[in-house]
Amino acid sequence: MRRKILLISAVAIALAACSPPSTDGTPAPTSSGMNPSPSSTVGQLPGPGVPKVDHPIDLAQIKQTPCKALTAAQIDELFGQAMEAKPRDGAAGPACRWTPPSDTRPRVDVVFDSSTKRGLTAVYEAKGKAYKFVEPLPAVDGYPLVAFGVEDERATEGRCLVSIGTSDNEVISLAVEQSKANIGDKDPCDAARQAAIRVLATIRGGN
């Protein structure tokens, strides 16, 4: 069951555990689980060893229409098929999920996450604690990117979670779940990075 709650609970950048998943597969946060501990709310951003975001991006407009973060053409580039976009609004912030009309895989979630107000620092602080897997990826046009998770599920489940820093206190988080045929064959973090590239291009007016 712990693996099943990974996708959305980790995207929320919560530093505490989530409760078991609800019947629709989306975990409900515990009453005290979605806020960082008091010790992590102090100190200068970014934290030690965390890349600084030199050119912050204003996400106010895209947050109003999160499903515009990826175009139909971009989804086709990423997955080679049409996907349905469904807006979601949860504790982490405005989000959108893309899935095939008749299946749950492949899947990508894009979350405009400012839940902790600590950006990528929240991920790095959780390394070896809430997140056993934290791995920096090549930056996207200068914006730092990191893969993370409660466990490393790339090869076993075909899942990867990444966050791209859009300012020192805000991130865009993406969760990719591969089709069953690609599990163990292709790295889902590569797909997550490609999705991050396209989201960033869209937001900055590149598409």
Side-chain angles (χ1 to χ4, degrees), residues 106-177:
R107 183 170 82 186
V108 58
D109 289 80
V110 176
V111 183
F112 295 92
D113 192 341
S114 56
S115 59
T116 68
K117 306 295 184 183
R118 291 184 62 75
L120 290 181
T121 297
V123 178
Y124 280 77
E125 287 176 336
K127 184 177 181 180
K129 300 172 186 176
Y131 303 143
K132 295 181 181 179
F133 171 59
V134 175
E135 182 176 301
L137 301 176
V140 176
D141 199 17
Y143 290 88
L145 183 71
V146 61
F148 64 99
V150 176
E151 303 283 351
D152 182 353
E153 294 193 319
R154 291 175 292 180
T156 58
E157 302 294 334
R159 297 184 185 127
C160 183
L161 311 169
V162 301
S163 282
I164 184 168
T166 53
S167 70
D168 289 337
N169 62 359
E170 198 165 15
V171 300
I172 302 172
S173 295
L174 299 95
V176 167
E177 194 167 286

Side-chain angles (χ1 to χ4, degrees), residues 14 28 66 69 81:
Q81 62 180 297

